[in-house]
Amino acid sequence: MEVRDPLSDALSALAHPARRGMLERLAEGDASVSDLAEPLNMSLPAVSKHIRILERAGLIEQRQRAQFRICTLVPAPLKDIESWAEQYRSIWEARFDQMETVMKKISKKAEGN
Amino acid sequence: MEWVRIERTFEAPIETVWKMWTDPALFKQWYGPNGMKVPVVEMDLVEGGRRKLCMQMDSPENTMTMWFTGEFKEISPPDRLVYTESMCDEDGNILSPEAMGMPPGHPETTEVVVELNEAGDKTLLKLTHIGVPADSGGAGGWAQALDKLGALVAN
């Protein structure tokens, strides 16, 4: 098994619509495994597999309550993804600065004629 | 996943801002910030049309080039432009994240959504930049899911 970094694990975990759906549900509050399975048209082993992937990525925690397994969303990896995405903001801001410069040059030329 | 939303108001008419994105000669002049050049830009400005560009960074040791390709998904002048972009080789063959040494789940394709709104003689630009992981099946579902998750993370 290859060594992966936490960010890649989180990105991979988000890369499946069923898992994104589970996280959206958990964003509204804790849920049991059967709650998470209910809207999905898949077998319980398949559901468990997705839950394990989310857990290994640090995106959810599970605990036992009576006969239920309760899942909780852990937001920290999502925040890490957001920070990582922020680098693209500064690239675009630099581009837009340059776009402004170019447009000013164009309008000066137009006024000069 | 890359998810950035930026808004900026430009003191220029909407048609001018639209041309900045769709006229290759103008696009070259602003798209390469911080010392990067854009020596090649090809735009087939129809929905489904190909988009290809080269970015070049000169340093004393060598010249680094990166190629990107994709297609225009929506073109509605002068207010909405949507295109995809992936890293590729010089011939336009898409390079997968795995080929670049990245684990699965890393974005293979980027989707850029540009929305322009007139505000008097100024233009409000809204840009959304979405990275679409290789095994996720498309950007549309991402945007919705990330909206909800993003709201949660903000709290």
Side-chain angles (χ1 to χ4, degrees):
Chain A
M1 181 150 115
E2 80 236 44
V3 174
R4 288 154 64 113
D5 65 280
L7 185 64
S8 298
D9 284 347
L11 288 173
S12 288
L14 284 177
H16 193 289
R19 294 198 287 269
R20 289 198 297 279
M22 288 181 189
L23 291 177
E24 283 170 44
R25 170 65 184 81
L26 291 171
E28 295 164 20
D30 292 358
S32 68
V33 170
S34 33
D35 288 338
L36 295 177
E38 199 208 316
L40 300 170
N41 189 19
M42 60 173 77
S43 66
L44 263 180
V47 171
S48 296
K49 185 195 88 177
H50 286 303
I51 289 182
R52 269 201 309 279
I53 290 172
L54 287 171
E55 194 177 36
R56 276 206 300 263
L59 282 159
I60 68 172
E61 274 168 357
Q62 295 188 68
R63 65 185 186 280
Q64 199 73 30
R65 174 173 286 161
Q67 70 270 48
F68 300 107
R69 290 203 67 76
I70 305 293
C71 300
T72 304
L73 176 68
V74 181
L78 293 173
K79 293 198 167 102
D80 290 342
I81 290 177
E82 237 187 14
S83 308
W84 178 73
E86 278 304 297
Q87 65 187 295
Y88 294 95
R89 179 180 303 278
S90 39
I91 294 173
W92 282 109
E93 295 285 2
R95 285 173 171 152
F96 292 162
D97 288 345
Q98 205 143 312
M99 193 195 287
E100 251 168 18
T101 305
V102 173
M103 290 193 292
K104 282 202 181 95
K105 258 193 256 174
I106 291 178
S107 76
K108 276 212 176 84
K109 260 201 199 148
E111 283 165 29
N113 295 338
Chain B
M1 168 203 125
E2 305 146 35
W3 182 48
V4 177
R5 285 224 171 109
I6 313 177
E7 289 187 18
R8 182 111 126 184
T9 299
F10 293 99
E11 306 212 355
I14 193 172
E15 293 81 12
T16 303
V17 182
W18 177 262
K19 270 195 265 189
M20 292 287 128
W21 288 91
T22 55
D23 180 339
L26 292 171
F27 185 85
K28 277 183 191 185
Q29 295 182 46
W30 65 269
Y31 193 73
N34 305 328
M36 297 205 74
K37 286 189 268 197
V38 188
V40 178
V41 177
E42 294 166 13
M43 293 186 185
D44 182 15
L45 260 171
V46 294
E47 288 184 3
R50 197 178 75 154
R51 189 176 177 279
K52 186 170 159 198
L53 65 101
C54 174
M55 297 197 66
Q56 183 178 304
M57 175 79 121
D58 291 322
S59 71
E61 299 87 36
N62 66 348
T63 290
M64 191 188 82
T65 60
M66 285 171 61
W67 289 85
F68 299 87
T69 191
E71 65 175 47
F72 289 104
K73 305 206 78 169
E74 286 179 54
I75 304 180
S76 305
D79 21 50
R80 190 171 160 89
L81 183 74
V82 181
Y83 63 85
T84 59
E85 196 170 78
S86 304
M87 290 186 63
C88 64
D89 64 18
E90 202 172 313
D91 300 314
N93 301 306
I94 290 181
L95 302 172
S96 73
E98 281 88 353
M100 310 289 285
M102 291 184 247
H106 263 266
E108 175 177 274
T109 302
T110 278
E111 190 168 286
V112 175
V113 181
V114 181
E115 292 165 296
L116 303 179
N117 283 286
E118 266 182 305
D121 52 1
K122 302 185 192 174
T123 302
L124 174 64
L125 181 153
K126 290 186 197 175
L127 177 123
T128 307
H129 187 186
I130 306 165
V132 184
D135 48 354
S136 75
W142 268 109
Q144 289 167 357
L146 294 172
D147 267 344
K148 296 181 194 173
L149 294 173
L152 166 82
V153 170
N155 297 332

